[in-house]
Amino acid sequence: MKDMLHKAFSVTLTLLVLVSTMSFTVEKHFCGNTLVETAVFTEAKGCGMDMSKFQTTENKKNNCCKNEVEVVKGQDKLKTTAFDDLKYHQQLFFTSYVYSFVNLFEGLSEQIIPHKNYSPPNLVADIQVLDQVFII
C-alpha cells in the first residue's frame, strides 16, 4: 500500500511539472456570434466562407467570420542550480551525504559452495512414483 501511494504521488508530481511548463495555443473560429470550430495545437480550418476574395476595402469591416487565438504560456523559468552555485557548507553537506550513501552498500563476498564438484548419484528407480508420494 505504501509503495502504491509513493508511486501515485510521484506520477502526480511529474504530471504537475509537465503541465505547468507546457505552452499551447487554442484557436477559435466564429461565424457571426456562433462558435464553429475550436482547435488546440493546430490552426482552425474555419467554416469555408472565404469572404476576403469578394470584399472590397470598405466592406472588410463587415466580415461575419473572425478567428480568436488564445496562447496559454507555461512556466519557462525553472530554477537550475549548479554545484558551484552552492555555498561551502551546502557543498560539504552534499558531498558527505553522497559519500556516506555510496559507502552504505557493501559488495557481496564470494560464496564458497562446498559441493560444487559433487555429482548426484544415478537414480535406479523413481522413488516418488514407486511409493506414490507426491507433493501437492
Side-chain angles (χ1 to χ4, degrees):
M1 181 70 175
K2 184 179 178 183
D3 290 337
M4 284 183 49
L5 285 173
H6 181 70
K7 288 179 183 180
F9 188 67
S10 299
V11 168
T12 304
L13 286 178
T14 304
L15 290 174
L16 180 68
V17 169
L18 178 70
V19 169
S20 69
T21 57
M22 188 174 73
S23 300
F24 60 93
T25 60
V26 177
E27 288 199 23
K28 299 177 185 176
H29 181 77
F30 290 93
C31 276
N33 291 330
T34 307
L35 178 64
V36 176
E37 185 178 4
T38 303
V40 180
F41 298 117
T42 59
E43 189 173 322
K45 295 178 184 172
C47 59
M49 293 179 59
D50 191 16
M51 300 296 286
S52 62
K53 295 179 186 176
F54 305 109
Q55 289 181 346
T56 61
T57 55
E58 56 204 35
N59 275 345
K60 280 196 176 186
K61 295 177 186 174
N62 298 330
N63 191 0
C64 67
C65 295
K66 65 178 178 176
N67 289 330
E68 287 184 8
V69 178
E70 293 180 30
V71 178
V72 179
K73 289 192 129 198
Q75 181 182 5
D76 60 346
K77 294 182 181 179
L78 295 176
K79 184 177 180 182
T80 56
T81 304
F83 185 74
D84 295 333
D85 296 339
L86 297 174
K87 296 177 185 171
Y88 176 72
H89 67 278
Q90 291 173 334
Q91 290 178 353
L92 182 64
F93 173 76
F94 183 72
T95 53
S96 61
Y97 178 76
V98 169
Y99 179 76
S100 64
F101 187 75
V102 167
N103 289 334
L104 183 67
F105 302 107
E106 295 179 3
L108 295 175
S109 61
E110 186 177 327
Q111 295 180 352
I112 300 171
I113 303 172
H115 52 281
K116 180 178 178 181
N117 297 324
Y118 173 72
S119 60
N122 294 330
L123 294 177
V124 179
D126 195 0
I127 298 173
Q128 288 181 342
V129 174
L130 287 175
D131 295 336
Q132 293 186 2
V133 178
F134 304 105
I135 297 174
I136 297 177

